[in-house]
Amino acid sequence: MGYRNPNAPARCQCVVDSIPTRRHVMPVMESDARHASTTRLLDAALHVIRATGSAATTVDDICRTAGVTKGSFCHHVATKDALALAAAAHFSARSDGVFTTAPCRSMPDPLDRLLGDVAFRGESLHGGLPDYTCLPGTLVQETYATHPDILAACDSGMSGHIAALTSDVEAAQRLCAPTATWSEESVGYVIQAILQGAFMVAKAKQDPAVVHESLAHLARYLESLLPRPPTTR
């Protein structure tokens, strides 16, 4: 099932298509977490996988984008799948760092925080599609039935995002819609679904305008679902 590059030096032969278990993945990446080459590999994986998909991504593509040799790849990462797992964790950590420090997070009103989060996502759509689309969303479409470890990593990242949204939705519901019968978590799932769907259609259309328009509709939906009490206008 694995593939060995016959042209690679013996000291850096590595399996690039096997499916590792978690215990074989994270220690490899964590031990080199501070190494500049590892960071470049992770950043390159974010870009290349979002641009071409997991199946089409090759070790050569990642090494070329990262500016490292295949020997360096083999030194830092056991397999291509191990890199995908570590890249998913890297994406989640980087995304959390960006969105937890966004200006809207300091807003006292929970609905303002929700709407501010939506607006901030629109403001963050810089560069091309591979620069701002969701890595877990890209990975899970290809690997959900074949790579359980990658699926678990994607689910963990998305669930963490949904949990953060749910906390604000719950607070906004208490303020704006205390008699509502829908669950806070279901709204978090809707927000995530709109984001992922918008990214997918934007890829098909090759047009980020789809994401901007979807975010605008999402903001209107949240405002209709959570109408502000007259006293807070």
Side-chain angles (χ1 to χ4, degrees):
M1 186 171 180
Y3 167 76
R4 292 183 181 274
N5 181 359
N7 298 318
R11 63 183 176 82
C12 69
Q13 289 283 332
C14 60
V15 179
V16 299
D17 290 316
S18 62
I19 302 173
T21 62
R22 286 188 187 88
R23 66 189 179 88
H24 290 129
V25 173
M26 297 314 295
V28 173
M29 300 305 298
E30 288 174 356
S31 65
D32 294 307
R34 296 181 182 277
H35 198 289
S37 294
T38 301
T39 301
R40 289 200 299 272
L41 283 168
L42 291 174
D43 288 340
L46 298 190
H47 183 87
V48 176
I49 293 173
R50 286 186 287 183
T52 66
S54 176
T57 293
T58 68
V59 174
D60 286 332
D61 292 334
I62 294 173
C63 291
R64 187 180 307 109
T65 302
V68 302
T69 65
K70 189 173 290 186
S72 180
F73 178 95
C74 295
H75 174 71
H76 293 292
V77 193
T79 67
K80 190 179 77 171
D81 290 324
L83 183 65
L85 275 170
H90 183 57
F91 177 87
S92 294
R94 196 170 73 172
S95 179
D96 288 347
V98 169
F99 288 104
T100 58
T101 58
C104 61
R105 301 314 306 163
S106 62
M107 296 177 177
D109 185 286
L111 182 55
D112 285 341
R113 289 198 299 273
L114 276 173
L115 296 175
D117 182 89
V118 173
F120 183 71
R121 289 177 187 280
E123 295 164 1
S124 301
L125 302 180
H126 301 303
L129 287 164
D131 299 311
Y132 59 77
T133 47
C134 180
L135 180 78
T138 300
L139 281 172
V140 77
Q141 291 176 53
E142 293 186 72
T143 63
Y144 74 94
T146 57
H147 292 59
D149 286 321
I150 296 177
L151 173 63
C154 294
D155 180 43
S156 177
M158 291 184 181
S159 295
H161 176 225
I162 291 169
L165 291 169
T166 298
S167 177
D168 283 339
V169 173
E170 182 178 13
Q173 184 192 43
R174 288 197 300 267
L175 178 67
C176 303
T179 62
T181 58
W182 41 262
S183 72
E184 301 87 350
E185 188 178 42
S186 68
V187 178
Y189 279 110
V190 167
I191 295 172
Q192 181 67 235
I194 290 172
L195 288 170
Q196 295 299 337
F199 289 145
M200 186 181 301
V201 177
K203 289 176 181 178
K205 297 292 186 183
Q206 291 292 294
D207 186 357
V210 173
V211 185
H212 287 287
E213 292 167 2
S214 297
L215 290 172
H217 281 299
L218 174 58
R220 288 189 284 270
Y221 168 72
L222 291 172
E223 288 177 318
S224 66
L225 191 69
L226 296 161
R228 294 184 188 276
T231 56
T232 65
R233 292 185 186 277

